[in-house]
């Protein structure tokens, strides 16, 4: 469903991704791990269409169609959704108004239907109705931001959900609800590309069904099953890097 | 401009207008004398306007009506097609459209208006067209008419005073609290259609009110220079709110003149929502604040097309503990120019003042300037200012777009969000229209 081919990406004339290949089938669960600064978020943002990241070589296909140069909203309409590592504040825009509009645009819902659905799904993620009248991300704690990102994913039910560190900086209880919700989405057919530094969020998943990619310096240098996660947690990256000569 | 209009030509024209107004209004002599005094002052009064030269001013006087508008508007079908289309797009009801067109002012609403105000009149609320107040409450009007202005300050004050017509007179009795916003659409419309309305607001001790002037939809005025003057008097402990909604057609130059005296412990919140500012809009309201009094000037501005907006604001904190806030938020588009220049002068101990100016620039060709001025004559005043002129942040726009909103919709959402905190006191029915107008302006549909 998603095919990334030989992707080279630069920011301000500095090459960050240096030839990434990645292929994700419908409903699959992929994980990307890698040291800080290796280019994981860059890959995620490039797939979502961030204008700051210039694709200098290679292409991105989604559902057989090339989306390399499509605007971000066009990608979203085709079923790509990114849950941000650091979602920005949007001053003055109420969560409820924003999400309503998203559901109207993406799902063709009516405003009332959208409102009810948002309130219901928000409850599952511990947001009260009055929280939804706050401005998007403004004054939200790190953990609240992650839950709000996930709420959007649940509402939209994209074909491909890219999650950029949904588990960083969240408390134990939030982590368990976040990982449960991700599993649920995956079971309902959403393909997942999850960027993380820790195995904990994957605890309940069948290790054999996971595809784990290790990123270093703008390249995917190894791909394996869920067991790779444990190994990284145990040994760190250096042995793996040595093994593949990276 | 083909022929030259001399100052004596202009004076002769003004004199005719005065005679006509005096006759039409059947006004008492003392008022007509005020007009004549203004006419005398006109010649020597200084003229300094950043846009309108003295020569142009004389032309406006000779020919106040603009050309190209339908002579007689007898039904909504006579409206210019663009305007009709805009009103439809905004979803403005037919009744309201009629007011905007200047139709059916008395006939449709005279009744409702009387019923409604009669009830409140018994309690001590007076709302009248200013001409009528001159006749029915001469002492009140005499005491407050042109007390906060000097007739010879400028040619515009003199001209306004000579030919003022329309406007509202609002009087709130001591201790009377009017619990709902007063939006006297018909009265306000009439005064907007008049070229030089004069508004007098008197809030007696401990009274409270919220007056909403103007409307969100564009009004079909026939003149090209609009000179309204507002004088507001707040007695001890009174609380007043004046919200001015403006959506001027693009051919109008507006020079609103607003001044207010805020007594001990009184509060005045003055909000201006400039959805359409007209060709040019230059204003420099002034406020004098006594002990523990409070004034807030909130300006919301949409700079569009090649329009020019210069919003000043002078606050004199002259009593101990007086406070003033001058806050503006501007969205600047196309080739427009927006200037804000608030001044707060602290003249008494323990006074506080704050100026803030936030601008969102949506176009490379638009210009924004801000000049905050803080003056302190005492050593324990707290005065501060902050200004931020910025563009839409790429991160925000990308975030919204990555959720499936196209660039236009995402921009509209951000712009509405930017202005939202300033619209906190505006009743819901206006907010819906205001938001729609912002959306249209952002997507270039106004
Ligand atoms: N917008 C940008 N401007 C400048 N440099 C950038 C930008 N985005 C990413 N970079 C640089 O690209 C490199 C990769 O960054 P990226 O955020 O993709 O790393 P990451 O793998 O997600 O790291 P982390 O695990 O810390 O989140 C870093 O050196 C970073 O500084
Ligand atoms: Mg990252």
């Amino acid at each position: 469903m998603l095919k990334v081919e030989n992707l080279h990406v630069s920011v301000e004339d500095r090459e960050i991704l240096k030839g990434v290949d990645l292929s994700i089938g419908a409903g699959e669960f992929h994980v990307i791990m890698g040291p800080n600064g290796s280019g994981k978020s860059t890959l995620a943002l490039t797939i979502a269409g961030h204008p700051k990241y210039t694709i200098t070589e290679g292409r991105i296909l989604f559902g057989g169609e090339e989306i390399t140069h499509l605007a971000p909203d066009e990608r979203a309409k085709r079923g790509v959704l990114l849950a941000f590592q650091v979602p920005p504040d949007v001053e003055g825009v109420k969560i409820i108004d924003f999400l309503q509009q998203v559901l109207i645009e993406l799902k063709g819902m009516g405003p009332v239907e959208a409102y009810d659905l948002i309130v219901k799904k928000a409850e599952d993620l511990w947001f009260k109705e009055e929280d939804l009248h706050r401005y998007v991300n403004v004054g939200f704690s790190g953990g609240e931001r992650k839950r709000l990102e996930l709420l959007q994913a649940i509402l939209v039910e994209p074909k491909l959900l890219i999650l950029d560190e949904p588990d960083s900086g969240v408390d134990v209880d939030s982590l368990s609800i976040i990982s449960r919700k991700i599993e649920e989405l995956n079971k309902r057919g959403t393909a997942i590309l999850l960027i993380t530094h820790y195995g904990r969020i994957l605890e309940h998943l069948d290790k054999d069904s996971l595809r784990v990619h290790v990123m270093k310096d703008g390249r995917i240098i190894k791909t394996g099953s869920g067991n790779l996660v444990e190994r990284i947690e145990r040994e760190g990256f250096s042995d793996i890097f040595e093994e593949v000569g990276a | 401009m083909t022929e030259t209009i001399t100052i004596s030509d202009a004076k002769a024209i003004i004199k005719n207008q005065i005679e006509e107004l005096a006759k039409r209004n059947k006004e008492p002599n003392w008022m007509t004398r005020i007009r004549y005094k203004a006419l005398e002052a006109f010649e020597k009064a200084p003229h300094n306007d950043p846009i309108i030269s003295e020569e142009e001013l004389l032309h406006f006087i000779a020919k106040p009506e603009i050309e190209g508008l339908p002579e007689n508007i007898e039904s909504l079908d006579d409206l210019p097609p663009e305007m009709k289309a805009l009103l439809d797009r905004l979803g403005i009801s037919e009744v309201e459209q009629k007011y905007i067109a200047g139709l059916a002012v008395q006939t449709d609403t005279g009744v409702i208006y009387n019923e409604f105000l009669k009830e409140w009149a018994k309690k001590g609320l007076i709302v009248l067209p200013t001409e009528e107040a001159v006749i029915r409450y001469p002492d009140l009007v005499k005491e407050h008419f042109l007390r906060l202005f000097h007739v010879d300050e400028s040619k515009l004050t003199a001209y306004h005073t000579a030919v003022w017509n329309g406007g509202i007179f609002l009087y709130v009795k001591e201790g009377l609290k009017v619990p709902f916003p007063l939006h006297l659409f018909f009265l306000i419309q009439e005064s907007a259609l008049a070229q030089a309305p004069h508004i007098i607001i008197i809030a007696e001790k401990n009274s409270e009110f919220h007056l909403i002037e103007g409307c969100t939809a564009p009004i079909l005025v026939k003149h090209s220079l609009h000179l309204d003057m507002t004088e507001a008097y707040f007695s001890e402990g009174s609380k007043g709110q004046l919200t001015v909604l403006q959506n001027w057609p693009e051919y109008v130059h507006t020079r609103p003149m607003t001044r207010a005296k805020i007594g001990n412990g009184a509060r005045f919140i003055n909000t201006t929502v400039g959805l359409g500012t007209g060709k040019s809009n230059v204003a420099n309201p002034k406020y004098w604040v006594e002990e523990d009094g409070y004034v807030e000037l909130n300006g919301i501005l949409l700079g569009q097309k090649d329009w020019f907006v210069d919003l000043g604001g002078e606050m004199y904190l002259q009593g101990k503990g007086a406070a003033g806030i001058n806050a503006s938020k501007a969205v600047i588009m196309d080739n427009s120019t927006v200037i804000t220049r608030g001044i707060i002068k602290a003249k008494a101990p323990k006074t506080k003042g704050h100026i803030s100016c936030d601008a969102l620039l949506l176009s490379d060709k638009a210009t924004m300037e801000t000049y905050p001025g803080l003056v302190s004559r005492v050593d324990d005043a707290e005065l501060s200012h902050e200004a931020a002129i910025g563009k839409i942040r790429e991160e925000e726009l990308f975030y919204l777009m990555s959720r499936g909103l196209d660039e236009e919709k995402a921009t509209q959402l951000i712009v509405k969000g930017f202005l939202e905190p300033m619209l906190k006191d505006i009743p819901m029915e206006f907010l819906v229209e205001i938001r729609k107008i912002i959306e249209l302006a952002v997507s270039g549909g106004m």
Side-chain angles (χ1 to χ4, degrees), chain B residues 14 34-35 37-39 41-42 45-49 57 145-146 148-164 196 198 225 227-231 255-259 286:
Chain B
I14 296 174
I34 293 179
R35 294 184 189 276
K37 256 183 80 181
L39 173 61
F42 179 79
H47 177 70
N48 36 33
D49 189 279
L57 175 66
F145 190 92
L146 214 72
L148 301 181
F149 291 83
H150 294 288
V151 71
D152 56 359
E153 272 175 45
S154 73
K155 284 214 164 26
L156 295 181
T157 14
Y159 179 48
H160 166 92
T161 309
V163 302
W164 77 268
H198 196 99
L225 173 63
L227 292 173
D228 54 300
M229 189 180 275
T230 303
E231 300 183 273
R255 298 293 178 267
M257 300 175 257
T258 299
R259 288 185 190 174
K286 294 187 185 183

Side-chain angles (χ1 to χ4, degrees), chain B residues 218-319:
Chain B
I219 306 160
L220 191 71
V221 295
K222 290 192 177 150
H223 47 271
S224 42
L225 173 63
H226 190 83
L227 292 173
D228 54 300
M229 189 180 275
T230 303
E231 300 183 273
Y233 302 84
F234 294 88
S235 291
E236 201 177 320
S238 61
K239 287 186 190 155
Q241 233 174 304
L242 173 64
T243 303
V244 181
L245 306 170
Q246 300 177 325
N247 197 343
W248 297 105
E250 57 182 81
Y251 50 78
V252 184
H253 296 272
T254 57
R255 298 293 178 267
M257 300 175 257
T258 299
R259 288 185 190 174
K261 254 184 120 78
I262 295 127
N264 292 354
R267 290 172 68 85
F268 179 33
I269 298 178
N270 191 182
T271 302
T272 304
V273 184
L275 298 166
T277 57
K279 184 96 188 138
S280 76
N281 177 296
V282 180
N284 188 29
K286 294 187 185 183
Y287 310 87
W288 292 270
V289 193
E290 300 300 335
E291 205 169 308
D292 293 324
Y294 175 81
V295 66
E296 193 176 308
L297 170 62
N298 299 313
I300 294 156
L301 299 167
L302 288 189
Q304 301 173 64
K305 302 178 185 169
D306 59 346
W307 300 354
F308 177 93
V309 182
D310 186 333
L311 177 63
E314 293 177 23
M315 294 176 177
Y316 299 90
L317 308 179
Q318 42 195 28

